[in-house]
Amino acid sequence: RHVSDDEAREIKGQLSENIQGVLSGEKSFDSNKKDTESEGPRPKILVVAHYDTAGAIPALAVGADSNGSGVVALLELSRLLSRLFALVSSSSSHDVIFLLSSGGYLNFHGSNQWLKDTPSALIDSVDFVICLDGIGSSQQQDKLYFHSTKQPKDSGAIKFYELIQHFGKVFGAEIVSSFQKVNGSSEQLRWEHEAYAKRKVPAATLSSYEVSRKHFSQGNTFDRRSSVDTKVLSRNIRIVAETLAHLVFSLPSDILVFESSLELNSQFIDSWVQTVSRYPRSPSHLTPNITDAMANVFQSQPNIRVSRTTYEPESNFVFYDKTFVKMGAHRVKGFLFDLILTCFISLYLGLVHFGLKKFRVILENKKFA
């Protein structure tokens, strides 16, 4: 029985936000420069992970693996590469852009908005886009799927593909290739890299899943903390980190970079896995505390320039402001109790009826006597 006294109201002008961190490989990098002053023609690698969730019960949609694990991986990658860029004396061949996008379950409108807002010259300078989506699954521990629209042909894509295959073998993960063209008959995207592929930007998605889970009906209600294996997640982060480091600094493949003082921070990873497993991130539940915490990780790195873009997405979905309602339930006796009570009442009424009839007969007999 519903006992809430006010109904949910539609949220007008629901806003979304993209969070971007730019790691420049130029040794003359100045964090106070504007974007147009420092980005120029330098080639770039774009690392993307969407941070929001969806589900029939928004308050329970935490999305620990899809895509909480992708968020954790991107944040740790930003920390690792930032430290590496600060230590290496020579300039890297690429800048690295980290993008925490919104709208993962709403046809990846965050990535589409980034492509819409970003100057064409900057998009053209992106050599490769790697999207991270559910890479810490406790159910799929030995495989990592490389989803793309086609076999890599551009130099940046080919180099990334060769390196990810190599380091997958080094760290005991099978990199399984899955090449599927964008479905031209449907506006619904299966993977986030397809948004970039439509703009002719070489892109791929790394995921523990063979099939996309990015339909609104397949939400995150049951994607809890137990869905993430931090050992698997850490291994996959290491694979991507080594791949990116060797790509942007052209290192020999037999050298491992992230060891000793540059090793992964297991406490950081565990802490963030707990965070993404605790708080729902559906659009109607998302609070500034969550997005601020993610942006703060970028801002804590002195060589990463942070920008945040708020926009109103073009979406057919409607969100409501009341995400919790009060429900009342009354505990009643079981069916057997009602049956027994009915039998006793029937028996009682039958005895009364029989007694009244008997009493009438006795009165009539006395009258005639």
Side-chain angles (χ1 to χ4, degrees), residues 332-347:
V332 297
K333 301 294 184 181
F335 170 74
L336 184 60
F337 174 82
D338 292 338
L339 181 62
I340 295 173
L341 183 61
T342 301
C343 292
F344 273 110
I345 293 174
S346 300
L347 180 61

Side-chain angles (χ1 to χ4, degrees), residues 113-158:
Q113 188 68 32
W114 186 88
L115 289 165
K116 180 179 178 181
D117 293 340
T118 303
S120 297
L122 177 55
I123 295 176
D124 292 341
S125 71
V126 175
D127 269 3
F128 191 65
V129 180
I130 183 64
C131 304
L132 308 175
D133 193 339
I135 63 169
S137 174
S138 58
Q139 303 299 317
Q140 186 65 274
Q141 300 184 2
D142 300 324
K143 293 182 180 180
L144 197 57
Y145 289 89
F146 182 92
H147 297 280
S148 188
T149 57
K150 61 182 180 180
Q151 186 83 25
K153 295 181 179 179
D154 300 272
S155 58
I158 292 174

